[in-house]
Amino acid sequence: MRILIKNGYIVSMVSAVRRGDILVENDRIARIGNIDCEADRVIDATGKIVMPGLINAHTHVGMSLFRGCADEHELMTWLENDIWPVENKMTASDVYSASMLSGIEMIKSGTTTFNDQYFFEEETARMAEKLGLRAILSRCIIGEGEEALKRIAEAEALYNNWHNKCDGRIKICVGIHAPYTCPPDTIRRSVELADRLGSPIHIHYLETKDEVKQMKEKYNMTSTEYLRKGGVFNYHVMLAHGVHIDDVSLHTLKDISGGIIHNPVSNMKLGSGFADVRKLRSNGINVALGTDGQGSTNTLDMFEEIKLAAYLQKGMYHSANAISGEDVLKMATIEGARVLGIDSEVGSLEENKKADIIIIGMDKAHLQPVHDIYSLLAYSVNGADVETSIIDGKIVMENRNVLNVDEHAIIRDCERITETLF
Ligand SMILES: [Zn+2]
């Protein structure tokens, strides 16, 4: 299969913006330049932006049904009173439908890769298989004793059943909930699993002040020391949040493989605080962008996250140039790919990389005039401006229609499940 994308503004994220064509052959970008050749499909991208698909580096897509259910609650009360009791009632089929709703939402707002941690995660894998999304998935390991052992066994089964499925589009890693919810024995067994599978680790990390306090009281350690002693940093590690990083922790993070995943909307909404992204990046630490689940973020639109991430650093530093629009776009593409350890395959438009591409039309009142394309993408574009999406060389959305699924049937299904659960 050959797809020729003609005459777009190519935002590769690794070289200057240029007008040109992209030839996709099977799952890869075969050529970028001025191309005239036969193709099975020709997409006219005149007046449109062609860029890498966005990477949502931290999600719980099975949580879509929690959108707007308990907006003004803080993290611990929110989890204990609003989230966990309902999650305990959810079936595998509920998680599949909730994941489908999220999958459609992600594709329709420009995300092509997501890094997810939840339960019944094989249902999320089935969603990614069906919709054509690229995914890194993990079964959330949390708690202690028999409960934790059961979850670790499920995490391993998920790996055995799904790792590298769908031509490698689906990868499985080890997902640990957080330092404060996992005692040393659970961390040790999770790390043993990562070792056995050769997998990266995805974990919530220094999200709230309360976590800092709890770790001090329970272990007389910071979360960083706790994870370092538990051997977590010996693996490629994807650390979600990193809101409360002290200077000693920052020093430790300089040596890790992986990086921090910044979730500005979720952190602000739950009152958790502001991650110092500028400081992390200036210390050579890679920072990805994520939305977290819809319970704490309400939408999976990465363009909202991009805007907020930029505004937040500018506000924190009282400086308009604290971070640039281009830098924040990198966090949602190539730098995000680095944090997830997949930058050799995705995150930029380059020959021989996987063809994960989105196309955005600019012929709209809120996107005119065009002075600077990075500025337009960082501050003006929203998810609904994405018209076409290609993942692994296959068109998954065209003219805003997500292919291979009945979107309205999924919406009706989720309405019905929500009525039963809440
Ligand atoms: Zn999370």
Side-chain angles (χ1 to χ4, degrees):
M1 176 79 175
R2 288 175 122 198
I3 303 170
L4 181 58
I5 304 166
K6 287 289 290 178
N7 200 32
Y9 289 92
I10 300 172
V11 181
S12 73
M13 296 314 304
V14 287
S15 50
V17 179
R18 58 190 273 201
R19 292 267 294 269
D21 314 318
I22 296 180
L23 179 67
V24 173
E25 267 179 3
N26 302 318
D27 59 334
R28 298 209 178 246
I29 296 170
R31 270 171 66 203
I32 301 176
N34 295 314
I35 307 164
D36 273 311
C37 71
E38 291 287 304
D40 302 292
R41 279 293 313 275
V42 177
I43 297 172
D44 180 9
T46 305
K48 298 177 199 282
I49 295 166
V50 183
M51 70 175 291
L54 303 179
I55 296 174
N56 189 343
H58 180 67
T59 59
H60 313 285
V61 299
M63 291 189 85
S64 60
L65 308 183
F66 293 94
R67 190 191 328 263
C69 81
D71 281 335
E72 268 67 63
H73 298 183
E74 290 193 20
L75 182 67
M76 280 328 289
T77 16
W78 177 78
L79 282 174
E80 285 167 4
N81 300 344
D82 305 304
I83 304 298
W84 289 338
V86 180
E87 281 182 343
N88 287 338
K89 293 193 281 182
M90 285 175 83
T91 65
S93 149
D94 296 342
V95 171
Y96 178 73
S97 299
S99 294
M100 283 296 279
L101 195 71
S102 293
I104 294 166
E105 184 183 357
M106 286 192 284
I107 291 174
K108 293 194 90 164
S109 51
T111 292
T112 54
T113 297
F114 69 107
N115 179 30
D116 195 79
Q117 185 187 114
Y118 209 49
F119 60 98
F120 291 131
E121 193 72 1
E122 60 279 9
E123 302 301 324
T124 303
R126 286 176 55 220
M127 173 278 277
E129 177 180 44
K130 177 150 175 72
L131 297 181
L133 279 157
R134 191 177 302 285
I136 301 176
L137 308 173
S138 51
R139 197 288 173 224
C140 178
I141 298 166
I142 184 170
E144 56 193 323
E146 286 302 310
E147 288 271 278
L149 285 178
K150 181 172 161 275
R151 288 162 185 156
I152 290 169
E154 286 172 9
E156 187 157 13
L158 179 73
Y159 181 93
N160 291 333
N161 294 331
W162 284 95
H163 186 63
N164 270 335
K165 286 287 158 68
C166 306
D167 305 316
R169 217 174 65 231
I170 296 176
K171 306 247 184 259
I172 307 300
C173 72
V174 171
I176 306 172
H177 181 258
Y180 66 96
T181 52
C182 294
D185 189 58
T186 304
I187 298 282
R188 183 178 60 79
R189 288 174 192 275
S190 304
V191 166
E192 280 170 6
L193 180 66
D195 197 70
R196 203 155 63 242
L197 306 178
S199 291
I201 294 173
H202 179 194
I203 183 168
H204 294 93
Y205 164 76
L206 287 173
E207 182 173 1
T208 61
K209 272 198 177 142
D210 201 47
E211 173 181 338
V212 176
K213 192 165 151 260
Q214 278 192 47
M215 293 304 288
K216 175 86 184 151
E217 284 168 5
K218 257 193 218 166
Y219 304 109
N220 197 26
M221 273 189 247
T222 62
S223 291
T224 315
E225 282 176 276
Y226 183 71
L227 296 181
R228 190 180 56 74
K229 287 196 172 142
V232 171
F233 294 147
N234 299 336
Y235 300 84
H236 186 95
V237 65
M238 306 176 277
L239 300 160
H241 301 299
V243 176
H244 301 280
I245 298 175
D246 58 278
D247 284 343
V248 178
S249 297
L250 186 75
H251 194 72
T252 304
L253 294 177
K254 285 184 194 176
D255 295 326
I256 63 164
S257 165
I260 296 287
I261 305 154
H262 180 41
N263 303 270
V265 175
S266 174
N267 294 157
M268 280 192 270
K269 189 170 177 231
L270 293 174
S272 304
F274 311 121
D276 195 337
V277 168
R278 179 177 153 132
K279 190 172 178 185
L280 288 166
R281 292 181 84 243
S282 65
N283 276 280
I285 296 158
N286 286 314
V287 182
L289 263 188
T291 57
D292 219 336
Q294 292 99 324
S296 61
T297 201
N298 297 50
T299 92
L300 301 180
D301 183 346
M302 283 289 288
F303 282 105
E304 283 192 14
E305 218 70 40
I306 288 166
K307 285 184 196 72
L308 258 294
Y311 297 151
L312 189 60
Q313 297 304 305
K314 290 166 193 281
M316 274 171 71
Y317 276 90
H318 302 268
S319 163
N321 65 13
I323 197 164
S324 71
E326 183 181 348
D327 278 344
V328 182
L329 288 166
K330 281 185 183 157
M331 288 161 56
T333 53
I334 186 64
E335 197 169 324
R338 254 177 240 138
V339 173
L340 303 192
I342 52 174
D343 52 306
S344 63
E345 292 281 61
V346 297
S348 58
L349 301 184
E350 293 178 80
E351 292 177 359
N352 294 322
K353 272 198 165 181
K354 293 279 191 180
D356 287 9
I357 301 170
I358 57 174
I359 303 175
I360 297 163
M362 292 187 284
D363 194 19
K364 295 159 185 165
H366 68 287
L367 301 182
Q368 291 293 326
V370 181
H371 291 290
D372 177 273
I373 288 197
Y374 291 121
S375 162
L376 196 78
L377 284 168
Y379 303 119
S380 304
V381 165
N382 62 62
D385 295 320
V386 180
E387 296 172 357
T388 301
S389 178
I390 296 170
I391 306 174
D392 219 34
K394 293 185 185 70
I395 298 173
V396 299
M397 177 175 76
E398 203 165 19
N399 301 319
R400 298 205 49 73
N401 284 317
V402 180
L403 308 180
N404 207 20
V405 70
D406 180 346
E407 183 176 339
H408 294 285
I410 299 294
I411 292 170
R412 295 291 88 78
D413 201 27
C414 288
E415 276 178 348
R416 185 184 52 73
I417 298 165
T418 304
E419 257 174 49
T420 323
L421 283 177
F422 290 84

